[in-house]
Amino acid sequence: MRFAAASSAPSSARAPFNLSPSLFRVRLVPGRDDVFDVRVDRDRPRRARVRGHVLTTASARLDRYRLVKTSHPTPQRATRGVHRASVTTTMKIAVFGSGSFGTAMASVVARNGHDVIILTRREDVATCINENGRNPQHLTAYELPKNVRATMDAEEAISNAGAIVHAIPMQSTEEFLDGVKDLVKRSGALFVNTSKGLHGETLELMHDVLKRSLGSNHPCAFFGGPTFAEQLMNGTPSGGVMAARDMATAERASALFAGPKMRVYPSTDVVGVEIGGALKNVIAILAGGLEGMGLGVNAQTLLITRGCREMTRLGVAMGAKEHTMAGLSGIGDLMLTCLGDASRNKAVGIAFGRGQKVEDILSERAQSLKGVAEGVATAPAAERLARKLGVAAPMITTCAQCLRGELDAKAALMQCMTLPIRPDEPLDDNKGVAARVISFVTHGTCALLGAFTASWIRSRSRDRA
């Protein structure tokens, strides 16, 4: 039963708890004991107050939630973290994209009790999901939760949605959003991006693309971490990081996915989460090349470790936090993509290492609907970005050369193994040009301010004397 104001809740929902007419009790997530009082302001009936905290975001609009009765006589206190961000049980959530990851993420949020609708461009996919409860193209062995449905109508998907989960490949995102951005902006729904990569032409990350498409004030969050779609579907314990400009938004987005089989850690390092998710695909192509050549774990761990270092160097130069690159969305996602058998980017590398041409590999994948290997588009973009920032990225450059047909697998290996060996030093001692300039300007400004302050104090002292 949906409600938009205090007067619309029936007395049967309130009386057992002796709550005032404007106070509702809701369960946080089905199966958990967390319960909260939700107060509807009489003067502002479309906002909710939870233990004194006013939810002013668009997703807190009450007509997007469902009242859930509970037998708990006394509500527990809200705790710090992602639980505080989600106040109610059921929200309508739209998922953009019916590929493997979009289908998996739809299932994850549906298990938390939300009403999920997948926006797809394929009529056969929409029909099969609605009639048979399965995606006929991806993850076909798994039955979807009963509260997942699909549509080809963007307005039907977005209308009254409290959140949108975006699972369209990076290189297709801007074109896709051009057709739905007005609906998205009008909805005010929290936009959760799960796509990874660098824009092939502008070298932008997803937060730049979304800022241009949706505006700088639209609430957005960015998910990253070691999460294969099939293992999300079968309930394998998994985890990731959810980043946003502010912690409250990150926590609110995290709460959509967090559950008994999924841990999601909120963060404010948007660049770190995004750049880690983009660059790991490039390193994974090289890791697949080593496996395709029949080389062992020694070679793979050498590549992954030094690849992580290269990712971190470039990420920090862009403003990422080093600890983020060492976490789930950095080294965690890199390890999964380089070592996991379900990695699409690694699969491209394996075929390349066995002697296949890149053009043939990509053509075969497109015809068989095996999914987009984002590293193929990201590698040349990352090469250009590293050059622009003055950051040494020899492995990224090697991958880009392989994809352009300039190197075969053996030549790529030889190129990496004959690179100059430099001291293993802290990143602070090996910054890119842009980072060094920023550091110089910052320290210089602080020095000037310090000198000015000291001079002002001395002059004041002389005046008093």
Side-chain angles (χ1 to χ4, degrees):
M1 178 185 61
R2 298 190 181 280
F3 62 97
S7 59
S8 64
S11 59
S12 60
R14 303 190 303 267
F17 314 113
N18 297 319
L19 301 180
S20 66
S22 63
L23 194 62
F24 301 89
R25 183 153 302 157
V26 294
R27 188 189 298 279
L28 182 65
V29 173
R32 296 186 186 174
D33 293 333
D34 311 60
V35 288
F36 295 88
D37 290 345
V38 178
R39 182 179 301 282
V40 180
D41 292 346
R42 297 181 185 278
D43 298 332
R44 310 175 84 175
R46 294 180 69 80
R47 298 193 179 193
R49 183 183 299 277
V50 181
R51 292 195 172 276
H53 177 67
V54 178
L55 300 180
T56 58
T57 59
S59 67
R61 284 163 48 179
L62 300 181
D63 59 357
R64 296 180 182 173
Y65 296 118
R66 197 170 282 168
L67 178 65
V68 177
K69 291 192 288 187
T70 175
S71 59
H72 289 275
T74 305
Q76 300 173 1
R77 289 186 177 275
T79 57
R80 187 183 184 279
V82 298
H83 297 298
R84 183 181 61 188
S86 179
V87 180
T88 57
T89 303
T90 302
M91 180 192 301
K92 177 184 175 183
I93 296 180
V95 176
F96 289 171
S98 58
S100 58
F101 204 71
T103 302
M105 296 306 267
S107 298
V108 170
V109 294
R111 289 172 193 153
N112 284 343
H114 300 294
D115 290 329
V116 180
I117 181 167
I118 299 174
L119 179 61
T120 179
R121 62 181 180 178
R122 299 177 62 95
E123 185 176 1
D124 59 326
V125 171
T127 300
C128 194
I129 288 176
N130 292 334
E131 295 182 358
N132 303 323
R134 295 179 187 270
N135 186 324
Q137 296 292 340
H138 302 278
L139 303 169
T140 56
Y142 296 93
E143 185 175 357
L144 299 175
K146 300 298 184 183
N147 48 332
V148 175
R149 57 192 174 93
T151 182
M152 297 177 64
D153 185 344
E155 186 168 3
E156 179 187 356
I158 299 169
S159 177
N160 290 325
I164 295 169
V165 179
H166 180 79
I168 302 293
M170 167 65 170
Q171 308 305 325
S172 304
T173 287
E174 193 159 17
E175 180 181 357
F176 172 83
L177 287 179
D178 282 343
V180 300
K181 61 184 179 183
D182 290 338
L183 291 171
V184 173
K185 287 190 284 189
R186 191 158 57 245
S187 74
L190 173 62
F191 195 97
V192 181
N193 173 68
T194 66
S195 300
K196 301 171 181 178
L198 280 170
H199 195 287
E201 296 178 1
T202 64
L203 309 183
E204 293 173 311
L205 292 168
M206 274 297 298
H207 76 270
D208 299 308
V209 175
L210 295 184
K211 182 178 179 180
R212 189 169 62 250
S213 296
L214 304 180
S216 59
N217 294 324
H218 195 93
C220 294
F222 303 84
F223 177 81
T227 47
F228 278 152
E230 185 168 3
Q231 294 189 29
L232 291 176
M233 290 293 289
N234 65 26
T236 298
S238 305
V241 181
M242 186 71 72
R245 288 186 301 181
D246 60 272
M247 186 57 72
T249 300
E251 289 179 345
R252 185 156 59 94
S254 298
L256 300 176
F257 301 88
K261 299 293 182 65
M262 185 74 168
R263 296 184 64 81
V264 185
Y265 298 88
S267 168
T268 56
D269 187 5
V270 172
V271 172
V273 170
E274 288 191 274
I275 199 65
L279 297 183
K280 56 94 180 181
N281 291 327
V282 180
I283 306 301
I285 293 175
L286 294 176
L290 294 179
E291 185 169 325
M293 296 170 68
L295 299 176
V297 178
N298 277 15
Q300 292 175 0
T301 52
L302 170 63
L303 172 78
I304 293 170
T305 306
R306 296 308 301 176
C308 182
R309 183 69 165 178
E310 195 164 298
M311 285 170 47
T312 303
R313 200 158 51 224
L314 185 53
V316 170
M318 295 180 68
K321 301 292 187 292
E322 191 169 352
H323 74 269
T324 303
M325 307 304 293
L328 283 172
S329 59
I331 183 64
D333 208 356
L334 176 66
M335 290 172 63
L336 180 89
T337 311
C338 290
L339 301 176
D341 293 334
S343 169
R344 293 173 292 189
N345 293 281
K346 179 185 173 183
V348 170
I350 290 174
F352 180 76
R354 291 173 178 170
Q356 286 186 250
K357 293 184 178 180
V358 174
E359 298 81 7
D360 296 337
I361 298 170
L362 300 182
S363 176
E364 179 185 337
R365 292 187 64 82
Q367 293 174 9
S368 60
L369 296 176
K370 291 182 178 178
V372 176
E374 287 282 10
V376 174
T378 300
E383 179 188 30
R384 289 163 50 206
L385 180 62
R387 191 181 303 122
K388 178 181 177 181
L389 295 175
V391 175
M395 279 188 265
I396 291 174
T397 298
T398 298
C399 184
Q401 290 176 314
C402 291
L403 295 173
R404 289 195 293 265
E406 298 171 5
L407 296 173
D408 61 16
K410 291 183 178 179
L413 175 61
M414 180 62 67
Q415 178 166 296
C416 287
M417 290 302 295
T418 56
L419 288 167
I421 297 178
R422 296 185 173 87
D424 191 5
E425 57 189 5
L427 288 178
D428 286 344
D429 296 334
N430 193 27
K431 292 180 179 179
V433 172
R436 285 197 294 268
V437 169
I438 292 172
S439 178
F440 174 79
V441 171
T442 302
H443 284 85
T445 302
C446 290
L448 288 173
L449 287 173
F452 174 79
T453 303
S455 176
W456 180 79
I457 292 174
R458 285 195 299 269
S459 65
R460 293 276 293 178
S461 298
R462 285 196 300 267
D463 292 343
R464 286 174 181 170

